């Protein structure tokens, strides 16, 4: 039995390794005008009838926050263009994953198993559509842009950007959609410090793995906080979550009596009670600044 399992494992792993975009070869037919793909053993995986076949790179997707260095890591799929200049996606075994579509661009995300189709014609704004790996449209509507939140399960659906803002955060695993939002801030390892703050001071924020989100209610901004799976950390009930600047730290926090060894990162207020300042530490625990007593106490 053990020998059988070892042989089975060997055949399985070698079979998987046989079909990889890193070991397969993109070939050209005799005329030099059409392309296809063969495996290392010479098996024809994609016939040489297509105008072009290129590799996907993980950095080719739109991501938030934008990364300073674009990843060149290849993804196990091919972008294939036919004579009609339509685009499709094939996997490393030569199986069509997403059928040919008349579009400007296709993007693929392996983690969420979703595909973004971007349609654009001259003189009109681009439209982005979200599909699953079965080729089904996830939302009937289009979006101005679609971006993947780095190191998360969330997809940012940007309905309107600029003066009129409308955003959604969608988790394809739970099918939960948060929004409409008028702003959001991502705090993870790819986040950049706000203007005037150096990288060293901002480092604790990059370890939080949260998103602060903003809704507009009755012409007022209301904020909440969620993790990178879209689960609520704090409800949308706060005036704001603001990064603590050096001046606030010096005037209030450094002078107050407070628990030892705690690093405070945000401050804010309840939208319904703006006279009472609250502080949030590196573990996102909540504290209250008792201004009359000049004391910071933890809230349970």
């Amino acid at each position: 039995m053990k020998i059988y399992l070892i042989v089975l494992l060997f055949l399985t792993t070698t079979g998987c390794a046989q079909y990889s975009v890193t070991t397969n070869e993109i070939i050209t037919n005799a005329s030099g005008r059409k392309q296809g793909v063969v495996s290392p053993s010479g098996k024809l995986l994609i016939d040489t009838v297509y105008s072009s076949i290129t590799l996907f790179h993980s950095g080719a997707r739109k991501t938030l926050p934008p990364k300073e260095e674009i990843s060149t890591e290849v993804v196990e799929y091919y972008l294939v263009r036919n004579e009609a200049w339509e685009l499709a996606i094939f996997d490393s075994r030569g199986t069509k994953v997403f059928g040919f579509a008349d579009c400007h661009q296709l993007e693929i995300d392996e983690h969420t198993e979703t595909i973004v189709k971007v349609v654009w014609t001259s003189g009109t704004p681009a439209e982005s559509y979200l599909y699953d790996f079965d080729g089904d449209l996830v939302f009937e509507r289009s979006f101005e842009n679609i971006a993947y939140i780095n190191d998360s399960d969330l997809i940012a659906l940007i309905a309107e950007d600029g003066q009129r803002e409308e955003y959604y955060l969608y988790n394809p695993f739970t099918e939960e959609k948060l929004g409409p939002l008028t702003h959001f801030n991502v705090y993870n390892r790819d986040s950049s410090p706000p203007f005037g703050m150096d990288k060293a001071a901002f480092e604790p924020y990059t370890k939080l793995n949260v998103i602060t989100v903003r809704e507009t209610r009755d012409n007022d901004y209301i904020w909440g906080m969620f993790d990178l799976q879209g689960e609520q950390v704090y409800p949308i009930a706060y005036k704001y979550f603001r990064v603590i600047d050096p001046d606030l730290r010096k005037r209030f926090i450094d002078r107050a009596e407070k628990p030892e060894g705690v690093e405070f990162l945000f401050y804010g207020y309840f939208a319904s009670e703006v006279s009472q300042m609250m502080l949030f530490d590196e573990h996102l625990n909540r504290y209250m600044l008792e201004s009359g007593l000049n004391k910071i106490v933890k809230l349970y």
Side-chain angles (χ1 to χ4, degrees):
M1 176 61 83
K2 286 184 178 179
I3 295 175
Y4 171 77
L5 291 174
I6 292 171
V7 171
L8 181 62
L9 179 62
F10 174 78
L11 291 173
T12 303
T13 55
T14 53
C16 292
Q18 183 181 2
Y19 302 107
S20 170
V21 298
T22 59
T23 54
N24 294 341
E25 181 183 0
I26 298 174
I27 60 172
T28 305
N29 68 358
S31 69
R33 296 181 179 178
K34 302 297 181 183
Q35 291 187 315
V37 174
V38 295
S39 72
S41 65
K43 180 180 179 180
L44 186 64
L45 302 176
I46 301 177
D47 201 1
T48 52
V49 296
Y50 297 107
S51 297
S52 70
I53 299 176
T54 56
L55 299 181
F56 276 102
H57 292 84
S58 60
R61 302 164 305 141
K62 296 180 185 70
T63 58
L64 292 173
K67 291 188 176 183
E68 292 183 3
E69 295 183 7
I70 302 299
S71 173
T72 57
E73 180 183 356
V74 295
V75 180
E76 289 294 326
Y77 296 90
Y78 295 101
L79 181 66
V80 181
R81 191 182 293 276
N82 63 13
E83 283 187 334
W85 217 238
E86 297 170 323
L87 292 173
I89 297 174
F90 288 65
D91 67 16
S92 60
R93 290 177 168 269
T95 303
K96 190 186 297 180
V97 174
F98 189 83
F100 284 98
D102 182 12
C103 61
H104 176 68
Q105 185 174 323
L106 290 177
E107 301 173 9
I108 190 167
D109 183 73
E110 290 182 291
H111 174 62
T112 59
E113 296 190 343
T114 56
I115 294 165
V116 176
K117 181 180 77 174
V118 181
V119 178
W120 178 81
T121 54
S122 181
T124 62
E127 296 178 289
S128 295
Y129 297 84
L130 187 68
Y131 291 81
D132 60 27
F133 267 27
D134 292 325
D136 296 324
L137 194 60
V138 179
F139 300 101
E140 292 299 324
R141 64 169 295 180
S142 67
F143 297 90
E144 186 175 315
N145 224 325
I146 296 175
Y148 295 93
I149 307 295
N150 295 330
D151 300 322
S152 85
D153 291 341
L154 299 178
I155 303 172
L157 308 171
I158 303 169
E160 292 188 63
D161 208 355
Q163 257 189 333
R164 296 182 61 188
E165 299 171 321
E166 184 181 339
Y167 312 107
Y168 299 86
L169 295 175
Y170 173 65
N171 184 327
F173 302 101
T174 62
E175 299 185 350
E176 294 291 326
K177 185 173 74 167
L178 179 64
L181 308 170
T182 53
H183 193 75
F184 63 91
N185 297 315
V186 181
Y187 296 93
N188 67 7
R189 64 178 179 174
D190 295 312
S191 301
S192 299
F195 180 76
M197 188 176 192
D198 61 43
K199 282 190 174 183
F202 189 70
E203 180 67 22
Y205 294 88
T206 66
K207 301 173 183 178
L208 294 175
N209 293 321
V210 295
I211 301 178
T212 57
V213 305
R214 187 184 78 192
E215 288 185 1
T216 301
R217 298 180 189 168
D218 300 324
N219 296 319
D220 201 4
Y221 292 149
I222 311 295
W223 289 81
M225 184 182 292
F226 292 77
D227 65 20
L228 296 186
Q229 286 69 49
E231 295 293 326
Q232 178 180 287
V233 178
Y234 286 106
I236 302 177
Y238 291 81
K239 188 67 177 174
Y240 44 69
F241 292 97
R242 286 186 178 167
V243 171
I244 295 175
D245 58 61
D247 182 60
L248 181 78
R249 195 177 299 277
K250 183 177 180 180
R251 288 190 299 121
F252 293 100
I253 298 175
D254 290 349
R255 296 179 180 180
E257 180 185 343
K258 55 187 176 295
E260 291 185 9
V262 176
E263 184 173 10
F264 297 102
L265 301 182
F266 295 108
Y267 73 99
Y269 304 84
F270 273 126
S272 57
E273 179 54 73
V274 296
S275 62
Q276 184 59 65
M277 179 186 289
M278 281 175 286
L279 302 168
F280 302 83
D281 69 13
E282 72 272 30
H283 303 296
L284 301 175
N285 297 312
R286 191 176 56 166
Y287 299 76
M288 181 175 65
L289 175 63
E290 297 181 342
S291 54
L293 300 175
N294 199 29
K295 183 178 181 181
I296 297 172
V297 296
K298 188 174 182 179
L299 297 175
Y300 294 93

